[in-house]
Amino acid sequence: MTAGAIWNPERETMPRSEIEQFQLERLQATINRAYRNVQFYRRMFEEHDLVPEDIAGLEDLRKLPFTTKQDLRSAYPYGMFALPLREVVRIHASSGTTGQATVVGYTRNDLDDWTELVARNLVAGGITKDDVVQIFFGYGLFSGGFGLHQGAELIGASVLPVSSADIASQVKVMQDFRTTALVGIPSYALQIAQAMEETGIDPNSLSLRVGIFGGEPWSDRTREEIEQRLMIRATDIYGLAEVGGPGVSGECECRCGLHIAEDHFIAEVIDPDTGELLEPGQEGELVFTTVHKEGMPVLRYRTGDISAVTCEACECGRTFARMAKVRRRADDMVIIHGRNIFPEDIAAVVEQVEGVGPNFRVTVDRADAEDVLEIDVELSSVLPEDTVRSIERLENELSERLQRVMGFDITIRIAEPRSLSSNGVKTPTVIDKRKL
Ligand code: DLL
């Protein structure tokens, strides 16, 4: 693998000792600001008998408790802001699908930082100023559209803000404007690819070259399908509104983990059950501390995302730590009949059955004091003939395979192609009605 371009080599290739010194200086400034200006953090310090000076080294961060989504929700909408609203020039919210949204505010400096971080990821994924970049992330309170847009403009690419338009419009723009780079949610990229196949549009007739996808978990199989069907090279971008939006980390050309922007974020991995800090390489829940955010810094924020972090050198030359692709969330796990089940376990079975997927929705409910698991699975494409028999066959095949893996009966319902996601907007994979 030859090394590709690096947007900000001075930062992205800093030696580790310098990264840590840099982080510490920024962390101390952040802690001072949070302590002075955010009631929640001042109280946190007081309750733990701490003052900002107690954070003298990076390892002292552990003295602080975690910040949770619930803490942010309790401060809705502006309670976690560290500056008055007149300093805040943009507001976004997490696209969380259950409960109260979490709100974040960016100062002008925060927007500049964010733009730079996304530019780094786009360049790492192979996008250049010569690309025509079609963005199909939603533009709105969701940070995806605006975040990627700003980064692509900074690089100097020609940006098409198509947002969450329907598939036919996306394809028409790809054809007419000679799009070279696609940026959006991976499941929507796959749906666009499937629709193109159904309508007989040859990807060779397009100008596509690369794609940067993220905002939701996606498997290697989905990556392969997107790459083969659209004839592009696809890389992953990760982030969450609470920590700064997309740009927290992104893959380089080696695609062996996502480089975390360590000049802006300190990453920790903890055991999601005990909160205990894990060793490098061990899988657990990601926790981030922002070290340069003015509008809304977060200290030890629990993401709910499961990954593992390594500081081992990468062939690309970047020195920033890499996190493994996020495949599941700690809170997407459902316990049913005493078994822990993650959507990715179901995805692995769905992937084996020809004609269905990739989208599915899991519903857990309780009927007559017993837990029941129902799965709606999309058809991959319109069935050519003998619909009733084909659907029955697919239902049986899926329920048999799932029964074998899970060890109990599961109700399967086959849904129309592309009926389980709407125009590239993220939808929940698991609905646990027992919790509602
Ligand atoms: O999804 C920010 C984003 C936009 C990232 C566009 C990348 C591209 P939220 O709406 O706050 O922000 O949702 C954040 O989405 O905690 C993960 O669970 C999930 N997620 C985001 N990117 C990835 C990814 C944006 N590449 C939540 N792989 C996060 C897996 C991802 N999950």
Side-chain angles (χ1 to χ4, degrees), residues 6 8-24 58 260 262-263 311-314 317-321:
I6 298 182
N8 186 341
E10 199 187 314
R11 287 287 180 78
E12 294 178 76
T13 62
M14 265 199 275
R16 181 125 298 270
S17 57
E18 273 178 40
I19 296 175
E20 289 177 3
Q21 185 53 34
F22 196 83
Q23 283 182 326
L24 179 60
L58 285 180
I260 299 167
E262 286 191 282
D263 50 343
C311 292
E312 277 167 30
C314 178
R318 288 175 186 79
T319 46
F320 287 160

Side-chain angles (χ1 to χ4, degrees), residues 69 93-96 102 137 142-145 148 184-185 213-218 236-242 245-247 249 258 303-305 323 325-329 426:
K69 202 172 192 80
S94 177
S95 60
T102 46
F137 280 121
F142 172 55
S143 56
L148 272 297
I185 291 201
F213 306 109
E216 63 183 9
W218 49 311
D236 194 4
I237 180 167
Y238 166 88
L240 59 162
E242 298 92 326
S249 68
L258 292 83
T303 63
D305 293 325
M323 55 179 256
K325 224 165 150 24
V326 171
R327 292 177 205 281
R328 56 193 171 99
R329 289 186 50 82
K426 294 200 255 183

Side-chain angles (χ1 to χ4, degrees), residues 66 134 177 208 255 293 303:
F66 300 112
Q134 180 164 339
F177 294 81
L208 295 178
R255 304 198 303 190
K293 272 182 75 184
T303 63

Side-chain angles (χ1 to χ4, degrees), residues 11-77:
R11 287 287 180 78
E12 294 178 76
T13 62
M14 265 199 275
R16 181 125 298 270
S17 57
E18 273 178 40
I19 296 175
E20 289 177 3
Q21 185 53 34
F22 196 83
Q23 283 182 326
L24 179 60
E25 282 163 25
R26 287 187 156 190
L27 174 67
Q28 285 172 328
T30 299
I31 284 189
N32 274 310
R33 266 205 316 277
Y35 179 79
R36 251 188 290 122
N37 302 334
V38 186
Q39 203 188 19
F40 170 82
Y41 285 117
R42 175 180 287 263
R43 208 176 293 142
M44 173 192 273
F45 272 78
E46 285 169 359
E47 280 170 6
H48 289 77
D49 231 355
L50 292 168
V51 288
E53 292 67 36
D54 289 322
I55 312 299
L58 285 180
E59 62 294 343
D60 292 328
L61 194 54
R62 282 170 226 179
K63 294 177 181 167
L64 295 178
F66 300 112
T67 303
T68 64
K69 202 172 192 80
Q70 191 48 49
D71 295 327
L72 267 50
R73 283 181 175 152
S74 307
Y76 181 85

Side-chain angles (χ1 to χ4, degrees), residues 137-350:
F137 280 121
Y139 284 61
L141 284 178
F142 172 55
S143 56
F146 281 96
L148 272 297
H149 184 107
Q150 295 155 191
E153 276 191 356
L154 181 64
I155 296 175
S158 311
V159 187
L160 294 161
V162 186
S163 192
S164 44
D166 59 77
I167 292 183
S169 311
Q170 301 282 355
V171 175
K172 182 156 171 45
V173 170
M174 278 154 61
Q175 291 173 317
D176 295 354
F177 294 81
R178 296 192 292 278
T179 302
T180 59
L182 284 180
V183 171
I185 291 201
S187 57
Y188 203 41
L190 194 52
Q191 286 179 34
I192 293 172
Q194 278 167 353
M196 278 174 39
E197 221 163 77
E198 277 163 32
T199 46
I201 297 171
D202 178 359
N204 279 312
S205 68
L206 302 174
S207 313
L208 295 178
R209 193 174 79 66
V210 285
I212 309 265
F213 306 109
E216 63 183 9
W218 49 311
S219 64
D220 290 335
R221 162 93 185 260
T222 299
R223 177 173 0 225
E224 270 167 37
E225 284 201 22
I226 292 174
E227 292 195 323
Q228 281 166 11
R229 289 176 162 182
L230 291 174
M231 311 210 26
I232 57 176
R233 185 164 166 88
T235 52
D236 194 4
I237 180 167
Y238 166 88
L240 59 162
E242 298 92 326
V243 173
V248 172
S249 68
E251 282 178 328
C252 60
E253 65 271 22
C254 305
R255 304 198 303 190
C256 51
L258 292 83
H259 288 281
I260 299 167
E262 286 191 282
D263 50 343
H264 289 263
F265 313 106
I266 297 175
E268 297 172 279
V269 178
I270 60 163
D271 179 321
D273 296 324
T274 63
E276 179 202 344
L277 200 61
L278 299 177
E279 293 297 318
Q282 278 187 296
E283 188 176 81
E285 180 178 348
L286 283 169
V287 171
F288 285 108
T289 297
T290 64
V291 293
H292 205 235
K293 272 182 75 184
E294 297 177 335
M296 206 188 97
V298 287
L299 306 180
R300 302 199 88 195
Y301 182 70
R302 284 187 73 152
T303 63
D305 293 325
I306 302 293
S307 179
V309 173
T310 171
C311 292
E312 277 167 30
C314 178
E315 275 177 47
C316 76
R318 288 175 186 79
T319 46
F320 287 160
R322 282 168 291 146
M323 55 179 256
K325 224 165 150 24
V326 171
R327 292 177 205 281
R328 56 193 171 99
R329 289 186 50 82
D331 54 7
D332 260 357
M333 184 184 82
V334 288
I335 304 180
I336 180 160
H337 299 299
R339 277 201 54 157
N340 297 349
I341 295 168
F342 285 98
E344 60 171 1
D345 303 332
I346 294 165
V349 177
V350 170

